[in-house]
Amino acid sequence: MRLRTSTIQRRHLVPRCVACGQEVAAGRAMDACAGCGCDLAERPARSYAEMEGLVEAVAEAALQDPFVAWRRSLTLERWLLTVFTAVVLLAFTLHVVTRLIAD
């Protein structure tokens, strides 16, 4: 699952019945909504983020918590940015030091 936004809350990723809005447990297989009796096979529960197009839903996304997956990818992106910044600063520092030594 790939999120198309930088900020999202867990409640935006909870699947809900599209008829009444009641939360539907992602891990449990249900045939009908407990709140209104809507057939979930015909109209599957979707999260707010899915309905608004903020996430790209994939089949294996139901197996894991979308919020945890999003936090992992965000953490990885931040670490990559930190490492890239450190490498650029190190290269700049080495350039300055070699120029000072050469002069």
Side-chain angles (χ1 to χ4, degrees):
M1 169 184 294
R2 180 75 180 143
L3 294 170
R4 296 182 189 176
T5 182
S6 60
T7 60
I8 198 148
Q9 297 175 6
R10 184 180 298 269
R11 65 185 168 150
H12 297 140
L13 298 169
V14 175
R16 297 181 179 277
C17 174
V18 293
C20 68
Q22 182 172 347
E23 285 187 21
V24 176
R28 288 190 348 210
M30 297 175 61
D31 295 333
C33 173
C36 66
C38 178
D39 184 14
L40 294 177
E42 184 179 322
R43 293 179 71 189
R46 296 176 60 197
S47 69
Y48 174 78
E50 288 173 339
M51 288 188 272
E52 291 296 323
L54 300 175
V55 297
E56 297 170 2
V58 291
E60 68 270 0
L63 300 176
Q64 63 181 355
D65 184 11
F67 186 76
V68 172
W70 173 71
R71 289 299 299 171
R72 283 188 188 136
S73 66
L74 185 66
T75 302
L76 176 64
E77 290 172 5
R78 286 182 179 172
W79 273 107
L80 289 174
L81 179 63
T82 302
V83 169
F84 176 75
T85 303
V87 168
V88 168
L89 288 174
L90 179 64
F92 178 72
T93 304
L94 287 174
H95 174 72
V96 169
V97 168
T98 55
R99 297 290 272 178
L100 289 175
I101 292 173
D103 290 339

